[in-house]
Amino acid sequence: MRRFPKNLRPVPIIIEKMIPIQCRGLLFDLDGVLVDSTPAVARAWAGWAREHGFDEPDEVVKKAHGRPSIATIRELLPRADHAAEDREMERREIADVEGVVPLPGAMELLQALPVERWAIVTSCTRALAHVRIGAAGLPKPRYLVTATDVQHGKPNPEPYLKGAQILACPRPTAL
């Protein structure tokens, strides 16, 4: 267990009122910010890992979550047909939406914002993003940036820069 000196221990922060934020546009990640897809992602990747002989499917799940699937596949199966494996993973994730739900407050927040001022920026493919947005019952975004739309996926900033560009927001004015 990590120990902190008494004067540096983490303390809970309680915000009793909303803090106003001024920006021209908002960029939202999908999984883990607007929707919880964790159970579906875990099932898809754990099944894939077992079928490919990985001893620790949970470790594969941890490595895969939050990044483009093709990056995980290239890393874990360097000699595989990456495009075929990526198509199969997308098929699995599209087919499994059980437990994909909106995170608390996501629906209300998106409905309160002008549709032209926000975008979803995600590391999943366009097809999978549409399926998860629909499964969670979220409003359909006018602007969506996916792994399909960029050369370098997250954590590279390219997807967020593209999102800001689509919203016509200079970088410091998008959040």
Side-chain angles (χ1 to χ4, degrees):
M1 184 167 126
R2 188 169 174 191
R3 302 241 183 240
F4 292 91
K6 284 186 178 187
N7 63 336
L8 294 179
R9 286 197 179 145
V11 295
I13 297 173
I14 300 171
I15 299 173
E16 295 184 12
K17 67 178 189 171
M18 296 296 270
I19 299 170
I21 298 172
Q22 291 186 337
C23 60
R24 288 188 179 174
L26 293 164
L27 303 172
F28 296 103
D29 194 355
L30 181 60
D31 299 297
V33 174
L34 298 175
V35 304
D36 181 4
S37 60
T38 305
V41 170
R43 285 189 300 271
W45 279 100
W48 181 89
R50 283 189 293 276
E51 288 174 17
H52 285 84
F54 288 92
D55 295 331
E56 304 278 341
D58 290 343
E59 291 304 311
V60 172
V61 171
K62 287 178 191 172
K63 185 174 289 286
H65 203 75
R67 63 192 287 216
S69 59
I70 191 78
T72 302
I73 292 163
R74 284 181 180 136
E75 182 179 333
L76 296 177
L77 295 177
R79 292 179 184 83
D81 180 341
H82 300 136
E85 292 291 341
D86 194 39
R87 286 190 302 273
E88 172 58 18
M89 183 50 60
E90 181 183 44
R91 185 201 63 75
R92 288 173 188 246
E93 290 193 89
I94 286 172
D96 185 352
V97 294
E98 184 179 335
V100 175
V101 296
L103 284 167
M107 179 73 73
E108 296 81 2
L109 176 59
L110 294 179
Q111 289 175 337
L113 296 172
V115 70
E116 70 278 0
R117 289 284 136 223
W118 61 273
I120 294 176
V121 179
T122 180
S123 60
C124 64
T125 64
R126 182 164 293 276
L128 180 56
H130 282 297
V131 166
R132 287 194 179 147
I133 291 164
L138 292 177
K140 188 174 179 180
R142 180 177 290 180
Y143 305 113
L144 177 64
V145 179
T146 69
T148 312
D149 305 313
V150 295
Q151 291 292 317
H152 306 287
K154 294 186 293 182
N156 186 291
E158 182 186 350
Y160 287 105
L161 295 173
K162 185 168 185 128
Q165 180 184 23
I166 288 169
L167 293 175
C169 291
R171 278 187 288 189
T173 64
L175 178 64

